[in-house]
Amino acid sequence: MTILIFIIVLWYSGLFFQTFFLHRYAAHQSFKMSKFGEKLCFVLTWITQGSNYLSAYGYGVMHRMHHAFADTEKDPHSPKYDPNLFAMMWRTKNIYADINNYKIQIEEKFTKNVPQWKKFDQFASSWFSRIGWGIFYTTFFILFANHWWEWLLLPVAYLMAPIHGVIINWFAHIYGYTNFKVSDTSKNLLRFDWLMMGEAYHNNHHKHGGRPNFGGIRWYEIDPTYLIMLLLEKMKLIKLNRVAIKPTREK
């Protein structure tokens, strides 16, 4: 039971900072917060993602490219141009690394105002940090795993962020339903997104990229991350961008 709780905490805490900080803030700037809050989110992203840490700059730039080039040959991750999900994620990893290491030329529209903390990213993305977190996860399993099958969850801890990426970037472009006609294959993977904290409303998001609420088009589309964001706004920790808050579904 301890191992299952540990995996659930890693899943949802890492996922929250991926969707809240990396996606809705860094890539789409759907809300504002103080510089202190931004720095705190960098640190909390590192703590919650651990060995899977993703740079806000690398993620933000790559995700903007995904929206601009969705399901074309320039898309950093598209099931349409890769034979399987492993090939897609390997290509995604290489593009992400090239962006972070400034190995490719990026148009200014993809980099404008994307938050960046170079020194922290260098530390959090280092092998020293990633291996350190891996040792911590392994030690935790040694201390608390009581059944052989629990060890099957250790690779999930090591690769949590890529698993999150596969679910949305692969499966949410193949399975699900659509509310809007868009120029790509994005779909809403779940009707009530209990698994991905709102990220599964992928078709909604591709239609209204800057909208803080990924759900809310149909009555059952509840976006847990957006509810947390409303609470944070009431606490005056963030300020939501209310452009296109209530779009109507296409008939």
Side-chain angles (χ1 to χ4, degrees):
M1 183 60 73
T2 302
I3 294 298
L4 286 177
I5 293 172
F6 180 67
I7 291 295
I8 290 170
V9 169
L10 283 183
W11 182 277
Y12 285 105
S13 62
L15 178 59
F16 173 75
F17 282 98
Q18 183 269 333
T19 184
F20 171 75
F21 180 55
L22 303 181
H23 192 176
R24 304 185 202 212
Y25 181 75
H28 292 291
Q29 296 173 349
S30 58
F31 64 93
K32 296 178 181 178
M33 62 179 163
S34 68
K35 286 298 180 182
F36 173 79
E38 185 179 290
K39 287 291 201 310
L40 180 61
C41 281
F42 271 98
V43 176
L44 291 175
T45 300
W46 173 65
I47 291 172
T48 56
Q49 290 189 337
S51 61
N52 304 271
Y53 175 79
L54 293 171
S55 155
Y57 178 79
Y59 181 99
V61 171
M62 185 171 68
H63 187 72
R64 289 181 181 185
M65 292 170 65
H66 168 62
H67 275 265
F69 305 125
D71 285 330
T72 70
E73 291 182 356
K74 293 183 178 180
D75 190 343
H77 39 71
S78 171
K80 192 173 178 180
Y81 288 94
D82 288 299
N84 56 66
L85 59 88
F86 299 104
M88 183 193 75
M89 292 309 293
W90 185 256
R91 183 162 62 90
T92 301
K93 180 196 79 70
N94 290 334
I95 293 172
Y96 167 82
D98 286 346
I99 292 170
N100 264 343
N101 295 322
Y102 306 99
K103 289 185 176 179
I104 55 177
Q105 191 131 15
I106 305 292
E107 293 180 60
E108 185 182 357
K109 65 181 180 179
F110 298 128
T111 63
K112 186 178 180 180
N113 296 327
V114 177
Q116 193 172 21
W117 190 0
K118 289 184 180 180
K119 288 186 178 179
F120 185 82
D121 271 349
Q122 288 172 356
F123 160 72
S125 300
S126 68
W127 282 111
F128 172 81
S129 173
R130 297 193 190 281
I131 292 172
W133 280 109
I135 292 171
F136 168 72
Y137 299 153
T138 305
T139 302
F140 191 91
F141 271 70
I142 291 171
L143 293 174
F144 295 105
N146 295 318
H147 306 282
W148 67 266
W149 57 266
E150 291 178 327
W151 284 94
L152 299 177
L153 297 174
L154 183 57
V156 176
Y158 291 154
L159 300 170
M160 191 77 75
I163 292 170
H164 290 156
V166 163
I167 291 172
I168 300 304
N169 297 325
W170 182 269
F171 292 103
H173 278 264
I174 299 175
Y175 305 106
Y177 68 97
T178 60
N179 285 329
F180 301 102
K181 291 182 179 180
V182 292
S183 60
D184 55 70
T185 59
S186 60
K187 295 176 175 59
N188 295 329
L189 187 61
L190 299 170
R191 292 182 180 271
F192 169 59
D193 188 10
W194 57 272
L195 182 66
M196 298 300 294
M197 298 191 73
E199 289 286 309
Y201 301 127
H202 203 48
N203 174 253
N204 295 353
H205 174 58
H206 269 247
K207 178 64 177 181
H208 297 279
R211 185 170 176 259
N213 184 3
F214 289 2
I217 307 302
R218 298 177 186 263
W219 68 267
Y220 47 75
E221 292 176 354
I222 299 171
D223 180 351
T225 301
Y226 180 64
L227 298 180
I228 296 172
M229 290 166 69
L230 288 175
L231 176 61
L232 293 174
E233 185 177 51
K234 285 185 179 296
M235 298 169 65
K236 301 189 183 302
L237 296 175
I238 67 172
K239 177 63 176 176
L240 291 173
N241 172 9
R242 298 193 179 278
V243 174
I245 279 277
K246 295 180 180 178
T248 54
R249 186 171 78 250
E250 291 179 357
K251 303 297 184 182

